[in-house]
Amino acid sequence: MNQKNKEMYQKLQVSEPVLAYGEWILQDLKHRFAEIDERAEYNQMKVLHAMQKNKVSEMHFAATTGYGYNDSGRETLEQVYADTFHTEAALVRPQITCGTHALAVALSAILRPGDELLSPVGKPYDTLEEVIGIRESHGSLKEFGVSYRQVDLLPDGAFDWDGIRAAIHEKTKLITIQRSKGYQTRPTLSVARIGELIAFVKSIKPDVICMVDNCYGEFVEEIEPSDVGADMIVGSLIKNPGGGLAPIGGYICGRKACVEQCAYRLSAPGLGQEVGANLGLLPSFYQGFFLAPTVVAGALKGAIFAANVYEKLGFAVIPNGTESRHDIIQAVTFGTPEGVIGFCTGIQAAAPVDSYVTPEPWDMPGYDDPVIMAAGAFVQGSSIELSADGPICPPYAVYFQGGLTWYHAKLGILKSLQALVDKGVIAEEALSAAMES
Ligand SMILES: *Cc1c(COP(=O)(O)O)cnc(C)c1O
């Protein structure tokens, strides 16, 4: 590293030993980073091709208000999503307020009283517990007479094929598959594994609808779950596909019949996709989607860097430093509340926004335990921006994700390490010891 850059890191209060350790880690990551760049190049062209095919033009950026009838910008954006993800149709809307909302819309659009929902990949994301009614809540699917069944992954992370076969019966209407590990320490599913699972359940019950919670997975691989048989893929625009620019929104892409049902649920029966003004948000939706493959690449580099930084210091990391990536989340298990809090303090200190505040654990709506979150984001809660969160409960793991640029992600991880060194959670000698071993 040249002297000028070193001085900048000093100004940002990254010490010489922490910086040296980071550079040592990076030496071995060149090949991984080149692979990520190659994948991003492919995904960039995939998005560009969809934009060109649909003749995206300036007129598509115009704001609409009121009912939003005949919004050609909105319709074209939805076609761009559909073409990128190779689906018949797409619903991409600022009226979908977050990922949980998108998933709730998709589930309640398809499921009817008496139907059963099956998760063959274990417990779903925390906020979905209340949507489904696993935890009592008002307006849950359970309240509407939709039952839920779950088949856990086997201890080694494999699918429980026999258990899944036994769980599918005449009432099973929809299968929900969460691609990302979320707040768990199970491995994230590759698109190929999701494809195997879908083929298996369809071989048992061909008309079952397979939905994939695609949050954090978009553009990590060259294919998406919709390329391997998913009937619907669902996600949030303040994660990967918004590219950091979308200030709100969610998407549901999939078979035309499914997407139509979702539109009737989102707006109203009879209205469907025809209403929903864009309120001037389309430029950021288009541009964010255009940037998303590059942004995801930066976030992936950050995740791999973090895994290696902490793994070589003896912490358990999921995924580990060398395994292939299927989402942008990195889990690091610290084993103590101080570790989780120290890590988040460092991430916060690296932020472009609110770098001077100290994050503290709080009781967040939708979560069981107090959660600490570090986020100095341009968009509130955006987790494609550099962010970290962890529930304050054993095994005291922190989940780290995002970074609109690789350089910012790198600084964030160095600052996290610096904070842990400063707080005495990690001894400074441990850095040089790791480099010598
Ligand atoms: C983030 C996330 C959700 C929920 O999205 P919100 O935008 O936070 O409501 C659901 N599932 C997974 C796997 C996620 O990562």
Side-chain angles (χ1 to χ4, degrees):
M1 182 178 288
N2 70 33
Q3 196 53 34
K4 271 202 169 113
N5 287 22
K6 273 190 187 158
E7 283 165 17
M8 280 312 297
Y9 278 108
Q10 257 165 32
K11 259 193 199 169
L12 290 161
Q13 286 162 356
V14 176
S15 69
E16 191 76 47
V18 166
L19 185 58
Y21 177 73
E23 292 307 291
W24 175 73
I25 291 290
L26 276 177
Q27 280 173 10
D28 286 338
L29 298 179
K30 291 202 176 76
H31 177 65
R32 300 282 310 273
F33 282 20
E35 277 175 5
I36 289 170
D37 287 335
E38 201 171 17
R39 212 162 289 140
E41 187 173 352
Y42 178 87
N43 284 326
Q44 180 71 84
M45 288 188 282
K46 188 158 78 165
V47 172
L48 264 170
H49 183 258
M51 289 189 169
Q52 292 180 0
K53 181 181 166 213
N54 288 289
K55 297 193 163 60
V56 172
S57 70
E58 198 183 340
M59 74 173 187
H60 294 131
F61 303 151
T64 57
T65 56
Y67 294 108
Y69 292 138
N70 306 315
D71 186 331
S72 71
R74 179 188 71 209
E75 286 162 11
T76 302
L77 177 72
E78 291 181 334
Q79 198 52 52
V80 167
Y81 264 71
D83 286 338
T84 303
F85 295 148
H86 307 126
T87 59
E88 290 173 4
L91 194 60
V92 185
R93 303 285 169 126
Q95 285 81 15
I96 301 178
T97 52
C98 61
T100 305
H101 186 202
L103 290 157
V105 166
L107 291 172
S108 49
I110 305 293
L111 293 160
R112 294 290 177 275
D115 288 341
E116 189 159 282
L117 165 67
L118 170 67
S119 170
V121 296
K123 182 177 109 55
Y125 196 74
D126 266 31
T127 57
L128 283 188
E129 293 190 350
E130 282 172 286
V131 171
I132 295 168
I134 300 171
R135 275 187 284 142
E136 288 301 322
S137 74
H138 292 298
S140 69
L141 289 166
K142 188 178 166 198
E143 246 185 34
F144 286 88
V146 173
S147 58
Y148 171 72
R149 195 178 283 253
Q150 175 178 314
V151 178
D152 289 338
L153 295 173
L154 296 174
D156 66 352
F159 296 128
D160 178 0
W161 298 115
D162 292 336
I164 295 168
R165 188 184 292 105
I168 297 175
H169 52 90
E170 73 282 359
K171 282 169 65 184
T172 312
K173 173 78 158 288
L174 192 150
I175 307 247
T176 180
I177 301 169
Q178 184 178 307
R179 178 174 175 180
S180 167
K181 69 177 108 35
Y183 276 155
Q184 293 171 65
T185 42
R186 69 147 162 104
T188 284
L189 303 175
S190 67
V191 174
R193 283 190 71 200
I194 290 172
E196 285 168 32
L197 180 56
I198 292 173
F200 178 76
V201 298
K202 295 242 179 194
S203 76
I204 296 164
K205 191 166 187 193
D207 62 345
V208 78
I209 291 172
C210 293
M211 179 189 91
V212 175
D213 175 351
N214 208 27
C215 282
Y216 288 130
E218 300 90 350
F219 299 124
V220 172
E221 300 185 42
E222 277 119 348
I223 52 170
E224 300 292 336
S226 42
D227 292 309
V228 295
D231 298 293
M232 289 191 286
I233 59 172
V234 182
S236 163
L237 298 199
I238 63 167
K239 294 180 180 171
N240 305 15
L245 296 187
I248 192 170
Y251 76 86
I252 300 169
C253 297
R255 280 182 24 225
K256 192 163 182 292
C258 294
V259 171
E260 270 173 10
Q261 298 259 52
C262 293
Y264 291 131
R265 176 55 57 204
L266 176 66
S267 59
L271 300 183
Q273 281 189 275
E274 305 298 320
V275 295
N278 73 57
L279 305 173
L281 295 171
L282 290 181
S284 60
F285 282 17
Y286 278 104
Q287 202 176 351
F289 198 56
F290 172 73
L291 291 176
T294 315
V295 171
V296 169
L300 276 171
K301 289 176 186 174
I304 291 170
F305 181 53
N308 283 278
V309 160
Y310 286 102
E311 187 172 55
K312 295 205 164 64
L313 290 170
F315 296 98
V317 295
I318 300 175
N320 71 31
T322 53
E323 73 190 90
S324 66
R325 297 273 153 171
H326 308 291
D327 69 9
I328 63 167
I329 303 183
Q330 181 62 46
V332 182
T333 302
F334 286 104
T336 61
E338 294 73 36
V340 172
I341 294 167
F343 182 94
C344 290
T345 306
I347 295 295
Q348 187 75 38
V353 181
D354 292 337
S355 61
Y356 54 88
V357 306
T358 308
E360 281 179 19
W362 62 299
D363 288 311
M364 243 190 102
Y367 296 88
D368 257 349
D369 298 292
V371 178
I372 182 165
M373 298 201 152
F378 296 101
V379 171
Q380 186 196 82
S382 166
S383 45
I384 186 60
E385 297 187 52
L386 188 69
S387 48
D389 30 75
I392 303 297
C393 61
Y396 300 102
V398 76
Y399 299 81
F400 159 90
Q401 66 270 311
L404 295 185
T405 70
W406 149 238
Y407 309 107
H408 179 218
K410 178 180 174 183
L411 177 70
I413 295 144
L414 292 174
K415 291 285 281 181
S416 73
L417 181 56
Q418 187 71 58
L420 291 165
V421 169
D422 292 346
K423 285 173 190 285
V425 177
I426 294 172
E428 199 174 84
E429 304 78 69
L431 306 181
S432 43
M435 287 162 73
E436 274 152 29
S437 69

